Amino acid sequence: MPSSPSSENPILGIDLGTTNTCVAHVRNRIPRVVPTDKGSLVLPSVVALAEKGDFLVGGVAKDQMVTNPRNTIYGAKRLIGRKFSSKVVQELRSYYSYDIVEGPQGEAAVSLGGEVRTLPQISGLVLSHVKKLAEAFLGREMGRAVISVPAYYNDNQRHAVKEAGRLAGFEVKRIVNEPTAAALAYGFNRGLDQKILVYDLGGGTFDVSVLQLSANVFEVLATGGDTFLGGVDFDNRIIDFVLEVFWREHKIDLAGSPIAMQRIKGASEAAKIDLTLIPNVALELPYIEEKKGKPLDLRVRLSRTQLDDLTVDLVDRTFEICDQVLSEKGLKPAEIDEIILVGGQSRMPLVQEKIRQRLGKPPRKGVHPDECVALGAALLGDSLDRIDSVTLVDVLSMPIGVATPQGRFRRVLEKNNAIPCSRSFRLPPPREPGQSIELDIYQGDSDDIVDNEFLGSIRLPAAATGRRVDFKLDEECLLKVTFDDPAQGMRAVDFATRDTPEQLRRALAEEAARRAPGGESSERAVRRGGGLFGWLRGRQ
Ligand code: AMP
């Protein structure tokens, strides 16, 4: 039963972007973007710790990035919900100017003012800021939200975004995939019968989805993407080019100077955006370095043609993914009725030209790439409480399965399974006779678990061998595991831990060492270790 009509207790739609966050609300069934206090339609997704110890969010945080780079957190969307040890995070560590550290659960976290902060805390600050902006603009409390995530986000990332929303004081009514939200903004209440392709090239991620729209039924047919391909990769190509030009002229490598790098980063992104409108730009940064006591200025010319040459492989990669997604469903580009663009980077002229070449038609005008996801999320929020609501049929973007003893990945739920969905299988015997049964759950496209994302482990008594276990994905694409307990019937199984198996093994070894004569008392270890050691204690 709906809690209260959406007109009385409206739900915000929030697009928590890599670069910018956009928030929308619905009034009289029309979605509108909520402007910031500066009148802008988006808020930079940046959090900083100012000299005096205050948190800054949005434009003011972004403005002090050059002078205080180590305490300015941007691009959190690329880190949230990822393991610290993952390849993506390790690559980002060398590239981001703030410190990425290991969080309490082995997840990527950041160090701000010498303190470890989790990514849900950081994104929670952005969300809490937009909550306040929306409340001031709409003149009422806004306690509920639908938040969008890339379709390619795994279970951990979805949980982390939900947690960020909770920390911001929201009741998160739904996590929705960004392309689905964009499709809603395009097709809601228009009575369309079309196949559309949503091409989403944002600041950090690329997603492509094909949807069938039939009146207010939005069915995702196929989806694909790359969580490591977005606007920042385009910026990096310009940065490398600028560094090379400066090196050729002055034999000075500016890569070693964090302040110079911040300035070059900002100027490179600005140049890229300008080149969308004009054919030539010059990056000018006075007094970027000194040589023999004399100031050196940086001045580099860049044309749109040069930018295209520097980045064409990135654009081509997006079309390889489009081809894969279409071929998975046996679709031809000619069968697509409309192409919707999402994400700021999709404005690049080269992207639009390649869309025409590769997909045979120009993208649809009139759908705003920065706003459509938030507008669609708000429309979904508004429809959640209504009887004539929309129907979303989404799909799983990456398989979910379990590890075999040989380190292989056995798929349980397949990619492109329509959600909600579930699949059961029989529990295998324990690895050692008499021990509990352990199932390590992973998500990813690889056949080897090392390349996939660890979601958590479940542990059940040896007596459960041969009983039924059920993997179920809800409409938010979040995994629930249930088990056919002989005593209680089907019951939910909590993930014993979201630590990696390696962390568990390390923790076990540490615990054993503490228990050895002269080691730390186990009681203290339990208090320090929280849930994990609680579990260990339970097994003694
Ligand atoms: P989003 O994640 O959707 O906020 O995308 C932001 C990305 O789009 C950033 O990498 C921006 O540099 C990029 N971007 C924004 N506007 C433009 C533009 N006009 N031309 C090219 N890239 C842009």
Side-chain angles (χ1 to χ4, degrees), residues 218-257:
F218 294 74
E219 181 184 0
V220 179
L221 301 178
T223 187
D226 186 339
T227 42
F228 216 35
L229 176 61
V232 283
D233 301 301
F234 290 70
D235 302 349
N236 285 344
R237 294 293 170 84
I238 303 177
I239 294 169
D240 289 345
F241 173 76
V242 169
L243 291 178
E244 201 186 310
V245 171
F246 198 82
W247 167 259
R248 261 192 271 126
E249 276 176 27
H250 303 288
K251 295 288 170 287
I252 293 176
D253 182 8
L254 292 175
S257 158

